[in-house]
Amino acid sequence: MSSKNIENMSFTTRSIHLGDDDKKVGSPVEPAITMANSFILPYDPSSMNWSASDENIYTRNGGVNQGMLEKKLANLEGGEDCVVLASGVAALSALFFAMLKKGDHVIFSKVTYIATYRIFHELWTEKWGLETSIVDTTDIEEIKKAIRPNTKLIHFETPGNPTCCICDIEAIVKLAHENNILVSADNTFSSPYNTRPCEWGVDFTVESLTKYINGHGDSMGGAIIGRKEDMDKIRYQSQVNIGGIISPFNAWLIMRGSMTFPLRMQVHNDNALAVAKWLERQPCVSFVAYPGLESFKGHEIAKRQMEHGFGGVLSFGLKGEHDLYNRVVTHLEVFTSAVSLGNAESLIVFLGEDDERMYLYPQEFHGGFYRVAIGIEDKNDLINDLRQAFKAEGLETVD
Ligand SMILES: *Cc1c(COP(=O)(O)O)cnc(C)c1O
């Protein structure tokens, strides 16, 4: 069976069929797990390039299960090629390691995943002489002001973790490319079902596969999607020589999870919007940050660049003091107190007012807030669970 036509079919069909296209009579319908760490060499191996990634040599250079996943994700993200690694953070570091060097300047969003903040704000600046600027990348004028002659990369997330702030991908790409600057977008919160930054012109899309694409909270992985020549550079420099390789088993799990990814993602989108709208009406709630709400600052841009919905993550605050947040969580029966997102089950995490990056977030977040990863349970059960937990603490709710 050939996958030539599948490549042009709908997102849902591609999510199910792509990657595993070596189907012959008698072969398994679903991919096998190839756990081998090395592969049989040709008759004369003496002239082999031991750092090559395009032949099966050694699993740190590339393997069967990771190769299938790369093929599927490159297509789903609308990019040329993809590298999958052990985690979202491994993907971010591999990208930055291959593309940046001492003396380069990076502009990065003030709302990012914590590891991105550490890399750009502390680790690489102190160890390797990288210059960086933390910028409100929702404001194109702020980005423009931060550009220096040695600016090499603009990196942002949209929606951003955890404030859900929205960056205008098209406007950032235009500004960056006019100034010969590369652009990387961490698309984890939106996922390729809703947004494909490569189609908006970014040079690199990064996904934590740990989240929506795997979707079952049981493995970690990360991907970088972009041009083939750049992906080859990342494979050669970062994958083979730094070695943050994904286990074939995890690649297989993520491949399996990715089959139902579009179906799940639509439910995450729908549930999160319903919960956000309900939360917004509650007298005890101080604010709700969700790009699907008309009241949200980036809503118009989000509507333009998010296709089927606004993702499954929202943040909100309560009118109350620090420990009220902890007490409410003890009453929840459906939501679990845990970090991460994109699981079938709903998760909630309280980020207190002393969080070290609070100064980077808007005023309404400063008293502390919840980040909620809405799952794919029945949305009424989610709303009822929040309502009964609020009521158990005597908080005022409405239908
Ligand atoms: C979780 C997350 C990451 C890191 O991914 P891991 O798979 O946990 O390493 C990066 N960016 C965003 C936006 C995330 O939510």
Side-chain angles (χ1 to χ4, degrees):
M1 267 174 264
S2 135
S3 66
K4 276 206 188 68
N5 291 321
I6 306 258
E7 281 176 14
N8 300 315
M9 292 185 190
S10 78
F11 192 92
T12 308
T13 306
R14 286 181 279 135
S15 298
I16 294 169
H17 285 277
L18 285 183
D20 174 26
D21 53 6
D22 188 24
K23 288 183 175 165
K24 299 188 278 288
V25 171
S27 64
V29 172
E30 298 308 330
I33 310 174
T34 305
M35 289 301 287
N37 59 19
S38 69
F39 297 84
I40 298 169
L41 294 171
Y43 166 72
D44 180 4
S46 64
S47 60
M48 290 198 62
N49 172 6
W50 302 116
S51 297
S53 304
D54 50 1
E55 289 170 278
N56 287 341
I57 303 174
Y58 190 53
T59 294
R60 181 159 33 72
N61 300 46
V64 179
N65 295 96
Q66 72 212 57
M68 289 181 195
L69 190 55
E70 287 175 348
K71 206 163 162 187
K72 180 186 280 193
L73 291 175
N75 175 287
L76 293 183
E77 292 279 359
E80 229 173 76
D81 195 6
C82 167
V83 179
V84 297
L85 290 165
S87 65
V89 166
L92 289 164
S93 322
L95 166 67
F96 302 150
F97 182 79
M99 295 300 150
L100 299 171
K101 61 178 187 339
K102 185 174 167 181
D104 284 342
H105 175 241
V106 175
I107 294 171
F108 72 104
S109 166
K110 61 194 217 176
V111 182
T112 64
Y113 192 70
I114 182 89
T116 302
Y117 172 79
R118 287 257 186 277
I119 285 172
F120 286 146
H121 191 59
E122 294 166 12
L123 298 172
W124 290 29
T125 42
E126 285 166 21
K127 285 172 186 277
W128 294 340
L130 197 69
E131 291 175 32
T132 60
S133 304
I134 302 187
V135 169
D136 177 0
T137 51
T138 66
D139 185 340
I140 205 80
E141 291 307 314
E142 291 297 309
I143 304 179
K144 207 178 274 179
K145 274 192 264 171
I147 292 176
R148 302 178 190 171
N150 57 340
T151 304
K152 185 73 193 282
L153 178 76
I154 299 173
H155 177 83
F156 62 92
E157 295 172 10
T158 185
N161 183 357
T163 67
C164 294
C165 66
I166 296 293
C167 298
D168 185 334
I169 306 174
E170 197 175 18
I172 293 176
V173 166
K174 184 168 180 288
L175 173 68
H177 289 175
E178 277 167 7
N179 290 277
N180 248 328
I181 299 167
L182 295 168
V183 182
S184 56
D186 183 330
N187 194 43
T188 303
F189 265 38
S190 192
S191 90
Y193 180 67
N194 291 325
T195 310
R196 290 168 299 283
C198 287
E199 291 178 356
W200 292 94
V202 309
D203 301 281
F204 309 101
T205 299
V206 178
E207 295 280 350
S208 167
L209 306 176
T210 311
K211 314 293 170 53
Y212 293 112
I213 295 173
N214 177 57
H216 296 74
D218 52 11
S219 68
M220 301 194 81
I224 312 139
I225 299 92
R227 287 179 291 270
K228 173 144 189 3
E229 71 177 289
D230 291 329
M231 296 305 107
D232 282 343
K233 190 172 172 186
I234 292 169
R235 283 194 184 93
Y236 177 72
Q237 291 196 10
S238 310
Q239 175 177 314
V240 178
N241 295 298
I242 308 286
I245 209 77
I246 192 168
S247 133
F249 182 58
N250 280 356
W252 180 87
L253 276 173
I254 294 165
M255 188 78 177
R256 186 170 76 147
S258 69
M259 287 202 185
T260 54
F261 156 62
L263 304 181
R264 289 184 284 101
M265 200 64 219
Q266 189 59 55
V267 183
H268 285 293
N269 284 341
D270 295 345
N271 281 0
L273 184 61
V275 173
K277 283 184 170 166
W278 179 81
L279 283 169
E280 205 179 28
R281 290 199 303 274
Q282 302 313 305
C284 63
V285 167
S286 58
F287 76 95
V288 185
Y290 184 64
L293 293 174
E294 276 166 32
S295 60
F296 192 67
K297 190 182 152 221
H299 179 66
E300 287 307 315
I301 297 166
K303 268 205 308 204
R304 206 168 64 224
Q305 65 192 30
M306 300 181 85
E307 191 180 2
H308 297 289
F310 303 92
V313 182
L314 57 87
S315 293
F316 74 95
L318 290 175
K319 292 175 186 159
E321 43 43 85
H322 184 100
D323 205 48
L324 174 68
Y325 284 90
N326 292 323
R327 292 198 306 274
V328 165
V329 169
T330 65
H331 304 297
L332 291 167
E333 291 175 7
V334 183
F335 288 82
T336 301
S337 173
V339 296
S340 200
L341 56 116
N343 290 14
E345 64 185 286
S346 294
L347 306 174
I348 187 165
V349 54
F350 167 45
L351 291 156
E353 60 276 33
D354 294 331
D355 191 275
E356 65 171 313
R357 292 190 300 158
M358 203 56 91
Y359 76 101
L360 296 166
Y361 305 152
Q363 188 65 38
E364 62 269 26
F365 287 77
H366 292 188
F369 64 96
Y370 293 117
R371 190 191 69 188
V372 189
I374 299 292
I376 57 174
E377 300 96 337
D378 186 293
K379 60 175 172 285
N380 292 320
D381 289 333
L382 296 176
I383 290 170
N384 288 337
D385 196 34
L386 290 166
R387 183 190 289 112
Q388 63 80 20
F390 291 169
K391 279 187 171 162
E393 283 303 319
L395 296 174
E396 196 188 344
T397 64
V398 295
D399 288 345

